[in-house]
Amino acid sequence: MTLDLRVFTEPQQGASYDDLLSVAKATEELGFSAFFRSDHYLAMGGDGLPGPTDAWTTLAGLARDTTSVRLGTLVTSATFRHPGVLAIQVAQVDQMSGGRVEIGLGAGWFAREHEAYGIPFPAKRFGLLEEQLEILTGLWGTPLGETYSFHGEHYTLVDSPALPKPAQAKIPVIVGGGGPRRTPALAARFGDEYNQAFPELDTVAPRIGVINEALAEAGRTPDSIVQSVALVLAVGKDEAQFSRRAAAIGREPAELREHGVAGTVSEAVDLLGSLRDQGVQRVYLQVLDLHDLDHLDLVAREVARQL
């Protein structure tokens, strides 16, 4: 099985649209399957200059400025947008891209960014997430000429025309999270992909087992969902280059080796091969230095080709 490698960025740490476009074009040209970005409005360390960029505004631009690479969020926060508005936005970006969009959706967790930009942040958010997933998939899946209604605790939609429709027959939905019961059930109900974000490496295989159990309970087979992980990336052609890349993102080499796709090329190949053997089908490589395009080139040429 070939391991699918994707590029994942954190623009809230400081990036312009042009910065992201350069990375997205390199992602496409080097043969990675997708360019993803986080959906945050506040830096988590550092000044964040020149400031945040909106996830779906960015992806709308990239939909026109790229041609083949898939585009998505890991993950959009359910607290940021009304599900009816989000359904329109995502469907439109999918049309603009010719059917290359995917969406990861989560409950949101970063209280400070909500406070900074005046966005409500309720203490209990899982219900918002569950209803949003039902509404998004319901709106997109409503046949042309029919209407969609929903009456929930948090949202009510009455006789929506459920337009526009995406270009794809079904936009892939990514569900993540570490909850023991509700999250696996949500993934089994709505997910085309289940993502483990920055897991301890020895927990990856057991978590896949948990998701497979939830799939079985929902009447789905293990091969009906893609199993993925997101891990920080820091790879060098030798130890010196790896150490420089670790320093550039403010991380210690030993810590990166413990938690990410990190070290020399051979170390990265071994780790990714091990994840593949445990049942991981897709890895999101978190690229924190958006100006080091040589980093992506090295991974594409020396790591990906060995997988």
Side-chain angles (χ1 to χ4, degrees), residues 4-8 27-28 31-36 69-72 100 102 282 284:
D4 180 27
L5 298 181
R6 296 182 158 189
V7 171
F8 169 46
T27 298
E28 186 168 76
F32 295 98
S33 70
F35 172 92
F36 269 61
V69 71
R70 295 191 68 79
L71 304 165
R100 293 185 282 128
E102 305 182 14
R282 178 174 292 157
Y284 293 84

Side-chain angles (χ1 to χ4, degrees), residues 43-63:
M44 302 162 195
D47 57 25
L49 292 173
T53 48
D54 180 78
W56 287 100
T57 303
T58 295
L59 296 177
L62 295 178

